[in-house]
Amino acid sequence: MPQIKDHAYWLERSEKLQIEGRAFIDGAYVDACNGATFWSQSPIDGKPLAAVALCAEVDVDLAVAAARRSFDAGVWADKSARDRKAVLLKWAALLEAHAEELALLESLDSGKPIGDTTGGDLPGTIYCLQWFAELVDKVHGEVPATDPQFFGTVTHQALGVVAAVVPWNYPLLMAAWKFAPALAAGNSVVLKPSEKSPLSALRIAGLALQAGIPAGVFNVVAGDGAAGRALSLHPDVDCIAFTGSGKVGREIAKNAAASNLKRVWLELGGKSANIVMADCPDIAQAARSAAAAIFSNMGQICSAGSRLLVQRSIATALIGELLEVSKGYQPGHPLDPQTVTGAIIDNAQLDRVCSYIEIGKQQAQLLSGGNRLSLADAGAYLEPTIFLAEDASARIANEEIFGPVLVVILFDTLDEAIAIANQTEYGLAAAVWSSDIKTIRTATRKLKAGTVWVNCYDELVDMNFPFGGFKESGNGRDNSAHALSKYTELKSTIIRCC
């Protein structure tokens, strides 16, 4: 009889979990050169999980040197696309075989509900790796029409060494969005996970080697901002891809310019608007979707629907539905499969979110939530919080909070809603709910956002769609065939035939 995977099951597995905290450089797990470590602590209860190698500049140098040697030797870059595909698919199969272990690592390390990591994050990571593996032998160059005396081609070539600096909110998934296309294109990679959630990235490095990715092609260096800074300044890194805050993104761009003008791809913040018109086809569904858009993953999503813009005539009905639905997002223990909402990543982030709640109380009407909770004897937990703001220019309606805090703003006309939606510095995502095709067409055309959903919010997981933002939400796109080209250089080859 199969074992029931309940709260007790995951607690028992967590007690037996073997955790790797060393860096992975040139095909081997190694300590930091100076022996320094830091503790990875679980936001579930504040307890330490593992001592992790605190990589410094010298460790980054070793990882980059290994990546450069492997690239120049052609042990990966010179493989046929078909051969790279086979290895990446084998790696994806190993991730699937170890999915429970990796999901548990992510839940312990980031405070995410085990239902999210087993049902969303790990399947999404595997899907991403499989998708780019399957894509890489199906892309082609060009043969431009030219003078008959000449023959020419336009081809894509791997850049070389790619550094990926990724955040803590989706530790493996955000990493896969970078390393999957970079590796598929033939590059060697140095991955720097967030110091707040490094464990799953360190674990998959060993599986990469087991799958057949040659030593030096995939390296993982854990550490704080010093390691990321060293990568952004390193003269032998050809490209750096980053997901995180605008402040750090600016520093990375500045460092890239100050060093070797390496390619820079940035996926930064958001303050996304979810617009509900009076002719919304289903108010109850819009309320459910709005709650999921901000309270899923504890609101720690760059594309979270953190601003809910509601046409005034339906405000009472929609807010009533929303308040009822939000009761289902009360935090619980992340290792309980029944839990929908887990812990904030750490107390520093919880303090930051709570400071915005205090600001919000001065600028808007608190409709529900706003209180810290004590669960699992400790940990970082917060009630889902909803404000009604009369002033669309309030700080909580314009600054990224990155927590389970929703700001409801009322409007009268579509033009007003679009103006409010576009007034922030960000342009990552947006949504519009309406039954009128003219309204939908106007909104989707005028909203300054990289992704616009209609009568839904972030409900489709499909790698065919590029993800990224307008304005200060960054540049370039993750996912889709467009992402593969970010990690290549275009080369024109012209041959005189006669």
Side-chain angles (χ1 to χ4, degrees):
M1 184 174 180
Q3 187 174 3
I4 297 173
K5 295 178 181 178
D6 56 8
H7 192 184
Y9 171 85
W10 290 108
L11 286 173
E12 182 181 356
R13 281 215 62 173
S14 70
E15 292 169 1
K16 298 177 180 178
L17 192 63
Q18 299 292 315
I19 299 178
E20 178 61 73
R22 292 173 295 172
F24 191 83
I25 299 174
D26 207 8
Y29 283 109
V30 294
D31 293 321
C33 288
N34 63 3
T37 61
F38 65 94
W39 282 104
S40 175
Q41 292 182 303
S42 177
I44 293 175
D45 52 17
K47 294 179 181 178
L49 295 168
V52 179
L54 180 61
C55 293
E57 186 173 350
V58 62
D59 304 292
V60 169
D61 287 344
L62 290 173
V64 173
R68 175 56 62 194
R69 282 197 304 272
S70 68
F71 182 77
D72 290 346
V75 294
W76 181 251
D78 290 349
K79 282 183 179 292
S80 70
R82 187 176 182 181
D83 286 344
R84 291 200 302 272
K85 166 185 170 178
V87 174
L88 292 175
L89 288 176
K90 185 176 180 180
W91 190 20
L94 286 170
L95 296 185
E96 191 164 16
H98 291 266
E100 278 199 7
E101 173 195 356
L102 293 167
L104 182 56
L105 274 175
E106 293 236 318
S107 288
L108 291 170
D109 209 16
S110 68
K112 299 164 74 77
I114 192 69
D116 285 3
T117 55
T118 56
D121 295 21
L122 260 297
T125 299
I126 294 163
Y127 169 44
C128 176
L129 189 54
Q130 292 170 331
W131 196 91
F132 280 106
E134 293 287 1
L135 172 68
V136 71
D137 64 347
K138 301 172 184 66
V139 293
H140 310 283
E142 305 167 31
V143 180
T146 187
D147 189 302
Q149 297 183 75
F150 297 89
F151 175 78
T153 61
V154 180
T155 54
H156 291 264
Q157 291 187 194
L159 281 163
V161 176
V162 173
V165 180
V166 298
W168 43 260
N169 57 333
Y170 287 91
L172 272 188
L173 186 60
M174 294 295 98
W177 284 12
K178 314 296 187 193
F179 69 66
L183 289 171
N187 298 283
S188 293
V189 171
V190 180
L191 172 64
K192 192 272 178 192
S194 169
E195 65 273 23
K196 296 184 179 185
S197 58
L199 301 181
S200 56
L202 292 169
R203 177 66 182 99
I204 67 166
L207 297 177
L209 189 70
Q210 186 179 337
I213 293 180
V217 172
F218 184 71
N219 308 273
V220 182
V221 289
D224 55 20
R229 184 174 186 275
L231 285 168
S232 68
L233 285 167
H234 205 291
D236 220 16
V237 170
D238 300 295
C239 170
I240 185 164
F242 170 74
T243 294
S245 72
K247 178 182 178 182
V248 176
R250 283 179 167 83
E251 286 297 310
I252 286 175
K254 182 175 70 174
N255 292 343
S259 53
N260 61 338
L261 277 177
K262 58 179 64 65
R263 304 292 183 269
V264 179
W265 302 113
L266 304 173
E267 198 270 282
L268 307 175
K271 191 70 177 177
S272 300
N274 189 5
I275 301 170
V276 185
M277 303 297 296
D279 64 352
C280 164
D282 188 336
I283 289 178
Q285 177 57 35
R288 289 192 295 270
S289 183
I294 183 60
F295 300 136
S296 295
N297 202 42
M298 297 65 74
Q300 299 168 141
I301 307 174
C302 55
S303 58
S306 52
R307 292 184 295 158
L308 179 61
L309 279 55
V310 183
Q311 198 157 23
R312 199 175 302 273
S313 62
I314 60 166
T316 299
L318 192 144
I319 291 173
E321 293 274 2
L322 177 66
L323 291 172
E324 188 62 31
V325 172
S326 69
K327 295 175 183 177
Y329 288 89
Q330 290 296 318
H333 196 290
L335 296 189
D336 184 346
Q338 302 303 312
T339 292
V340 174
T341 303
I344 302 293
I345 186 66
D346 60 18
N347 281 306
Q349 179 64 15
L350 178 58
D351 288 343
R352 182 180 184 275
V353 175
C354 287
S355 71
Y356 270 104
I357 290 174
E358 292 307 309
I359 292 169
K361 290 176 181 178
Q362 307 303 314
Q363 299 180 334
Q365 178 186 354
L366 179 63
L367 298 181
S368 67
N371 298 310
R372 293 176 185 247
L373 298 174
S374 179
L375 301 174
D377 299 322
Y381 298 89
L382 181 65
E383 289 181 322
T385 302
I386 302 174
F387 283 99
L388 176 62
E390 293 292 335
D391 183 2
S393 65
R395 284 184 63 187
I396 59 167
N398 288 275
E399 297 178 17
E400 187 176 36
I401 298 173
F402 221 64
V405 180
L406 177 64
V407 182
V408 180
I409 303 167
L410 307 187
F411 67 89
D412 294 302
T413 67
L414 177 61
D415 286 345
E416 182 186 359
I418 292 171
I420 293 170
N422 289 340
Q423 74 184 16
T424 75
E425 66 202 60
Y426 301 110
L428 190 54
V432 60
W433 296 73
S434 174
S435 298
D436 180 64
I437 189 63
K438 183 178 178 182
T439 296
I440 291 168
R441 177 63 182 132
T442 299
T444 55
R445 183 168 50 87
K446 290 188 175 182
L447 286 167
K448 296 178 181 177
T451 298
V452 181
W453 292 287
V454 177
N455 294 333
C456 62
Y457 199 103
D458 199 11
E459 295 174 19
L460 177 67
V461 179
D462 192 327
M463 291 298 299
N464 289 285
F465 291 92
F467 181 84
F470 290 18
K471 300 190 291 184
E472 294 185 30
S473 285
N475 58 9
R477 294 294 184 269
D478 288 320
N479 304 342
S480 81
H482 297 281
L484 190 69
S485 65
K486 294 195 316 186
Y487 302 106
T488 64
E489 290 281 22
L490 277 175
K491 176 176 283 187
S492 296
T493 302
I494 302 167
I495 303 170
R496 186 180 183 94
C497 301
C498 55

